[in-house]
Amino acid sequence: MAKKQPVQGDFGFGSTETADVGESGAPLEVTLDDTALQVTIAWLSPESGQEKRRIQIQVIRSDELRWYFRLDSPGKEDETSWHRMAIRARMKAINRTSPVPDWDRVRVHQIEWNGKTKTKRQLSSDELFDEFPVLQWLENQIVRMTRMYTQWMQESVLQGMANRARQRQESQRRSEQRQKSGPVPSFYRKPEPSPKKAPALKKTASSKKSAKQDKSAGSKEKNKESGETAQAPAEEIAKMPVPEIPVHVHPPEVNPDELNDLTTLSDYFLLEKASRWWVSNQSDDLLALPYCDVEQLEYQVRTALRVIGPLRGRALLSDEVGLGKTIEAGLVLKEYLTRGMVERFLVLTVPSLVDQWQEELRTKFDLSTATTNDSGVRNDLGQFWRENQGIVASLHTLKQPRHVKIAQECNWDLLIVDEAHYLRNRSSQAWKAINSLPRQFLLLLTATPVQNSLEELYNLVTLLQPGQLPSPQEFRNRFIDPKNPHQPKAPEELRRLLGQVMIRNTRANAGIELPSRRSETVQFEPDVRERDFWTKWEPELRESLGRLSSNQSSLWGRLLLQASGSSPSAWEACLNSYPEQELAAKWKREVPESGSWRQKCDALPPLARGEGGVVVFTQFVKTQLAISEYLKEQNVPVRVINGQTPPEERQPITENFRREGGVLLLTRSGTEGRNLQFCHRLVNFDLPWNPMEIEQRIGRLHRLGQQHTVRIYNFVTSRSLQEQILTILQEKLNLFELVVGETGLILGDRFSSDDFADEVFRRWQDSPDSVDQALDELGDELAAARNRYFEVKELDDTLFSHDYEEL
Amino acid sequence: MKLPKSRHEPDKVARFFQEALEKLGGICEWSWHDRLHVLAEGTAASLWTANESVVDAELHFPPSDASGPRRADREVFPGCPLTFRVAELLHAEEVQYGRACLDLGANLKPPAPEAAQKQWEAQIGRKIAGKPTGPYVQDWHCSVLVLARCDVQAIDQHWSLHRLALSLPDGRVDEDLTSNLSLHAFKSPVPSEIPWSRWSDCGVTEIVRQALRDDIQTDLKAIQARQRRYLERELDRIDQYFRDYTRELRQRQTRQRRQESQSRYQERIDAAKAEHERRRQDQVQRHEIHVYPHIDALIFLAEPAWRAEIVAPREETRRTARFLPRNRRWVVE
């Protein structure tokens, strides 16, 4: 039965007109127009199917949404910000007067651009995310449109930067040409004359020139010569043909003086075997490939062959992020070991990656190594450096005098330097340390070989092949424009020189295409009691931490704040060891039952029912177990992998999940080495304060072999510290849009993995009354770092857009 | 026929080493499943020493993926020097040139005339005027079996191994002998009536060269394409340089007032053109592909055949053809 409700004052119009849409929600037609960044919601009459009401929400500019209302009278307009709370509030208000129905009465259309035209199609039920209520889903779609706008804007900015760089380059090239050829003759400035008139015009121009330059002008010969000169540029423009490559098959040396009578060919067949082994022993292919546990990607194998072959073991591997430089270096190392050309090798990397390198060498290439993280290192440095066949060391450790002194006394067959952009300054200790190590083969790995100036490239190449580039002064004169240190003066020549030491694979030439990924923030609203408790708890915690030492304060602060955003059981488990037990007990007594925790868990079963299931990441084992128990009560198939799961059981568990779907619960140690590209839904049940850890999680699903758009759901409690951190990571760092591997490059020098978490905690602790502002400032730093990274990336793309791997 | 490369499997390469060292005069005994104890003297000992004294050594055949340090004089691993050396010792030791006779059985009968005619029509048809006429006379046919390693030198180097059986004198590849060589038996002793001298002037060198060129065509296409890309890049660079240089010279020439100066510039322009051409030629030469065949074995294989005369009545010419009972094919001189 229709129920008329006044809408006066709901949208500030003062209108008394109503929309008769029924109490239980009329059928709904939703149109998602990705091309216009617009969501249209139309309520239909159940009897006639005609539209009773329509609202259009469109993204018009940064942080502004326009809402068009069509009631019975011509439409009204209103504007709100992009903030999710604002959208939610508006949708709730709309729902009060025009209730949205359940999913069974909702029809959704999508308008997309297929490259040539717009297409409109209805989404099937499989494509709809009916895991959420319709109202929440509508809110998510509006937020999605705002994200698309942000992405478009960024792409436009980057495109603009690229265009400007190209224009600068073109302008510079023209300027150089003008310098070489002298003043541009006046006839070049005129439009091209018609063929009939050409000779006369040219004659006139050259006559004028001759009259100026030669007082005895007027001879036919001069005119003829001038005519030839005028014609010369046109002759030289045509590209000269490339001749066919001659092939000379030389006659074999055949000189049978005496022919022996043979009654059997057994000796011949033995000789054939010998020839066959002789030829097979040659090095056309990677001999070690069958013994490496890697996906055999063609561009990686080709790169390894090129390093071993023409580049003779000294190369700068500067593939784009995420293409597997580590794998390429590992293939080269394994090949050299297999051929007996290398006995001792040293891998140098940043401290946070030492263990990861050791693990990769072990699992993928079956190579055991010692590392500078091993406990016995400090006891006997000499033994460590001299007696281990393979070592993975931190670059920061190596450059310490007591380490480098011993390392210099060893003969290294192969040095691999990861994150080699730390060697861009040849007066740095790191560069000098590497330069002083005796080595036969050297690999430098970096995705960004040039960050500030071309001279950095010079320093890297000089490590590889001293003399490959001219002297520093000559290099500067030949290639660097002081006014524009980013753009080389002679890019072609520089590329030719670099091609002899450098390999750069790009996604384009490696044929790597990954589907997109989309992230959504799912907010959970605590009830009043819960909200009040946590609001009171934070200052008490701050005060308590102030009484601890600074190390303890940081440790406990980060742990408890993160645990509070994870689950009640994780938080309580952490409190069990907290130094101030009385206070901890008080908190445990006072904490109310967590409604938001239950809401978070309730959001999982619908996701688990989707095709391929869902992978849920959490930092805490307690949280993991609590979720597992909850899901089991709901009869949701659930599997758990954490640090306590025996290694031999992890793969079978993963396989079961792959076959049967449901939920796979992972902690950080359970994440390592898991390839989950068969699944495309991921839930960050809690958020680590280390962005690279979040990136690692995403990288488990968003990798080669992924067929679908990866959906990332970030669960946060509204108006919490976690939500603020997520907002920074999402909006300032664009964490969820970056390629896996780029986060580390962006955070790079400023923040190592723990530094970022420390920084967040420090700002929380030092700014009790202005945490928001302090975190916003951190966000601004991240945004600046991100922009800086994109500038460097654009520079490297401009410099190295040629394919160095044209084999 | 290009012979595929062998994957380094320790047991297979170990068996080869045993067979080779025993052929070279060594005594071999397995001391473990992957260790071969060798007592060698003379040629076999030269695997380790130059003075051919007695050598007592143990060869180890570790798994291919073993990552420990290698001992190049005692271990056989992918790419190791020992494998090259033992193969080269065999090449030097073994007979590279020989002659043998295929054993097709006793009491060989001439082909039935109708069957032979049908085969002629199916194989030759109208390519050659005339038909074979009897009587069929017993004769001999010869093919040359070649084992060659081809060294293709381009920007990088490639090696491949080829086995070819080529019919003489026409040089056509005999597919049956090439592919199924191990299935054939040979006469013992080699019949003395075989007229070997008939084939000594067949131009075997050229026949072999052409056949190898045809056999490596597939490999050559890919190598040529790659070379072309390299050459194109280098030529573009040279052309661009001389374009700019010549343009500058011409601009300067036009600014000269005196005839003498203009002439000098013209000489420089002509010299630049010549230098440009020379540099292009130089690059083309640098990018040439050279194939060097190394013959490891060359064996003349004779087999019984039936000779017939081919008469073309209108042309009044006579040719000789031989019918090979082995594969029931005609070979026309």
Side-chain angles (χ1 to χ4, degrees), chain A residues 534-563:
Chain A
W534 294 114
T535 308
K536 193 168 71 82
W537 176 73
E538 280 195 22
E540 289 180 12
L541 175 67
R542 201 178 269 116
E543 196 185 322
S544 167
L545 293 172
R547 293 191 283 271
L548 304 177
S549 69
S550 68
N551 279 350
Q552 274 193 318
S553 166
S554 172
L555 186 72
W556 281 109
R558 284 185 288 149
L559 186 63
L560 284 172
L561 286 169
Q562 289 181 78

Side-chain angles (χ1 to χ4, degrees), chain A residues 598-616:
Chain A
R598 189 156 284 278
Q599 288 175 36
K600 281 169 92 173
C601 290
D602 282 341
L604 290 177
L607 288 171
R609 283 196 291 273
E611 183 198 341
V614 63
V615 178
V616 178

Side-chain angles (χ1 to χ4, degrees), chain B residues 89-110:
Chain B
L89 282 177
L90 276 177
H91 287 143
E93 184 77 6
E94 287 304 309
V95 170
Q96 285 193 357
Y97 302 106
R99 57 193 190 191
C101 178
L102 288 168
D103 186 357
L104 301 182
N107 302 323
L108 220 53
K109 289 181 185 168

Side-chain angles (χ1 to χ4, degrees), chain B residues 72-319:
Chain B
D73 62 335
R74 288 286 186 267
E75 285 186 4
V76 178
F77 49 87
C80 76
L82 280 176
T83 305
F84 288 120
R85 267 192 246 146
V86 79
E88 283 158 10
L89 282 177
L90 276 177
H91 287 143
E93 184 77 6
E94 287 304 309
V95 170
Q96 285 193 357
Y97 302 106
R99 57 193 190 191
C101 178
L102 288 168
D103 186 357
L104 301 182
N107 302 323
L108 220 53
K109 289 181 185 168
E114 299 81 21
Q117 292 273 4
K118 272 189 184 168
Q119 179 58 33
W120 175 268
E121 278 157 24
Q123 183 186 334
I124 307 291
R126 292 186 185 177
K127 289 181 208 164
I128 296 175
K131 290 181 184 177
T133 56
Y136 291 96
V137 178
Q138 191 165 8
D139 198 357
W140 297 95
H141 171 74
C142 189
S143 305
V144 64
L145 174 68
V146 178
L147 179 70
R149 281 174 294 149
C150 285
D151 175 11
V152 180
Q153 292 186 0
I155 291 284
D156 36 17
Q157 190 184 33
H158 304 264
W159 282 91
S160 55
L161 182 65
H162 302 262
R163 180 210 296 158
L164 291 167
L166 307 169
S167 175
L168 293 177
D170 57 347
R172 196 183 295 268
V173 176
D174 190 318
E175 294 293 345
D176 172 55
L177 270 185
T178 301
S179 307
N180 302 319
L181 185 65
S182 56
L183 299 178
H184 292 286
F186 296 88
K187 277 185 185 291
S188 175
V190 176
S192 55
E193 61 270 26
I194 298 174
W196 296 109
S197 59
R198 188 197 292 176
W199 300 292
S200 59
D201 294 330
C202 277
V204 169
T205 303
E206 184 55 28
I207 287 172
V208 168
R209 189 183 80 86
Q210 193 55 45
L212 286 172
R213 185 186 185 121
D214 293 338
D215 209 36
I216 60 170
Q217 273 309 311
T218 311
D219 288 346
L220 275 182
K221 272 185 194 155
I223 297 170
Q224 268 179 303
R226 204 160 63 227
Q227 286 291 88
R228 195 166 196 284
R229 280 200 297 275
Y230 280 117
L231 178 62
E232 192 172 351
R233 204 157 57 196
E234 290 302 314
L235 289 180
D236 280 349
R237 190 177 56 82
I238 291 169
D239 292 343
Q240 179 69 41
Y241 174 80
F242 278 98
R243 257 201 295 273
D244 294 340
Y245 181 55
T246 310
R247 187 184 299 132
E248 182 173 341
L249 285 178
R250 289 195 192 281
Q251 295 294 338
R252 288 187 191 176
Q253 187 187 40
T254 58
R255 290 197 291 272
Q256 302 306 311
R257 296 180 189 180
R258 294 168 57 186
Q259 184 65 29
E260 197 183 322
S261 308
Q262 289 191 355
S263 301
R264 272 209 298 274
Y265 269 103
Q266 187 55 44
E267 281 170 26
R268 287 177 71 179
I269 290 168
D270 293 338
K273 272 189 189 164
E275 180 64 13
H276 182 190
E277 193 49 42
R278 192 193 70 73
R279 295 262 190 111
R280 280 180 66 92
Q281 278 304 318
D282 182 52
Q283 283 302 324
V284 172
Q285 275 177 2
R286 278 168 179 244
H287 287 79
E288 286 177 351
I289 298 171
H290 290 269
V291 182
Y292 296 98
H294 300 266
I295 303 295
D296 288 341
L298 190 137
I299 299 174
F300 288 87
L301 296 175
E303 61 184 300
W306 296 98
R307 190 178 72 233
E309 297 294 319
I310 311 297
V311 180
R314 286 184 194 171
E315 295 172 14
E316 296 181 358
T317 54
R318 281 176 177 270
R319 298 172 77 151

Side-chain angles (χ1 to χ4, degrees), chain A residues 320 323 505-513 803:
Chain A
E320 279 184 355
L323 289 186
N505 292 310
T506 59
R507 272 187 187 69
N509 70 13
I512 304 289
E513 290 288 342
D803 180 3

Side-chain angles (χ1 to χ4, degrees), chain A residues 377-407:
Chain A
V377 172
R378 288 198 194 100
N379 297 338
D380 192 340
L381 288 184
Q383 188 190 18
F384 171 77
W385 285 107
R386 291 191 187 101
E387 294 186 11
N388 284 304
Q389 183 207 354
I391 295 176
V392 180
S394 144
L395 196 51
H396 300 309
T397 302
L398 171 79
K399 64 187 187 187
Q400 293 171 25
R402 61 197 176 109
H403 285 275
V404 75
K405 193 172 162 217
I406 304 173

Side-chain angles (χ1 to χ4, degrees), chain A residues 164-268:
Chain A
R164 283 195 293 279
R166 270 194 289 278
Q167 283 166 6
R168 277 199 301 271
Q169 208 173 357
E170 183 58 30
S171 163
Q172 196 170 354
R173 188 188 65 76
R174 283 200 292 268
S175 167
E176 281 170 16
Q177 277 186 341
R178 276 198 295 275
Q179 282 173 12
K180 280 183 194 169
S181 60
V184 177
S186 59
F187 57 77
Y188 273 137
R189 296 197 197 113
K190 293 180 185 170
E192 193 62 34
S194 63
K196 283 185 185 173
K197 287 186 184 173
L201 272 176
K202 283 179 187 167
K203 196 176 173 184
T204 306
S206 58
S207 295
K208 277 184 186 171
K209 245 187 154 177
S210 300
K212 272 186 188 174
Q213 290 168 4
D214 193 343
K215 288 180 183 171
S216 60
S219 67
K220 281 187 183 176
E221 200 175 352
K222 279 211 179 72
N223 284 343
K224 194 176 164 190
E225 283 171 353
S226 301
E228 278 178 1
T229 306
Q231 285 169 11
E235 276 176 359
E236 290 164 350
I237 288 170
K239 183 172 171 171
M240 296 177 75
V242 178
E244 281 303 308
I245 303 278
V247 177
H248 302 286
V249 179
H250 295 262
E253 285 183 20
V254 175
N255 197 11
D257 292 333
E258 283 185 18
L259 294 174
N260 295 314
D261 284 351
L262 304 174
T263 56
T264 166
L265 288 194
S266 56
D267 289 343
Y268 165 83

Side-chain angles (χ1 to χ4, degrees), chain A residues 293-533:
Chain A
D293 186 15
V294 296
E295 283 177 75
Q296 293 180 15
L297 298 174
E298 189 255 342
Y299 73 93
Q300 289 179 335
V301 172
R302 208 161 30 119
T303 297
L305 281 169
R306 184 163 167 79
V307 169
I308 291 168
L311 300 188
R312 297 189 299 276
R314 283 178 173 241
L316 173 59
L317 300 182
S318 57
D319 293 358
E320 279 184 355
V321 171
L323 289 186
K325 291 183 285 300
T326 310
I327 302 293
E328 289 167 0
L331 284 173
V332 171
L333 168 61
K334 183 74 176 180
E335 186 68 12
Y336 275 141
L337 284 168
T338 303
R339 296 184 189 192
M341 296 167 75
V342 156
E343 280 192 29
R344 299 201 68 215
F345 62 92
L346 173 61
V347 178
L348 295 163
T349 182
V350 295
S352 56
L353 294 180
V354 167
D355 289 336
Q356 188 174 318
W357 262 96
Q358 184 185 40
E359 181 65 15
E360 292 239 356
L361 288 176
R362 187 183 66 77
T363 54
K364 295 195 164 96
F365 302 101
D366 196 25
L367 297 174
S368 305
T369 49
T371 77
T372 42
N373 290 344
D374 293 345
S375 52
V377 172
R378 288 198 194 100
N379 297 338
D380 192 340
L381 288 184
Q383 188 190 18
F384 171 77
W385 285 107
R386 291 191 187 101
E387 294 186 11
N388 284 304
Q389 183 207 354
I391 295 176
V392 180
S394 144
L395 196 51
H396 300 309
T397 302
L398 171 79
K399 64 187 187 187
Q400 293 171 25
R402 61 197 176 109
H403 285 275
V404 75
K405 193 172 162 217
I406 304 173
Q408 282 166 353
E409 293 165 8
C410 307
N411 282 322
W412 302 101
D413 298 314
L414 173 61
L415 276 188
I416 298 174
V417 184
D418 192 16
E419 309 293 344
H421 44 268
Y422 287 109
L423 307 178
R424 58 183 183 264
N425 181 356
R426 66 175 177 276
S427 57
S428 67
Q429 274 188 316
W431 192 96
K432 287 176 183 171
I434 302 291
N435 197 38
S436 69
L437 294 180
R439 69 263 181 196
Q440 189 185 4
F441 305 121
L442 174 61
L443 296 182
L444 304 180
L445 280 55
T446 173
T448 53
V450 176
Q451 294 197 321
N452 295 307
S453 156
L454 282 172
E455 202 153 342
E456 295 165 359
L457 195 58
Y458 178 88
N459 296 333
L460 286 178
V461 174
T462 300
L463 268 180
L464 285 166
Q465 297 275 19
Q468 174 68 17
L469 299 176
S471 67
Q473 184 61 41
E474 201 182 330
F475 179 81
R476 277 192 287 270
N477 291 342
R478 213 194 290 185
F479 296 113
I480 300 180
D481 179 358
K483 292 175 192 169
N484 194 357
H486 291 183
Q487 295 294 331
K489 285 202 285 195
E492 277 305 318
E493 192 184 343
L494 183 60
R495 284 186 188 122
R496 188 182 60 78
L497 289 171
L498 291 177
Q500 294 164 15
V501 292
M502 180 167 148
I503 296 176
R504 180 171 172 87
N505 292 310
T506 59
R507 272 187 187 69
N509 70 13
I512 304 289
E513 290 288 342
L514 284 179
S516 61
R517 53 194 198 187
R518 289 190 189 166
S519 71
E520 298 202 19
T521 302
V522 186
Q523 284 182 328
F524 299 93
E525 197 68 42
D527 60 32
V528 172
R529 284 184 59 215
E530 211 181 326
R531 172 80 66 198
D532 286 345
F533 172 78

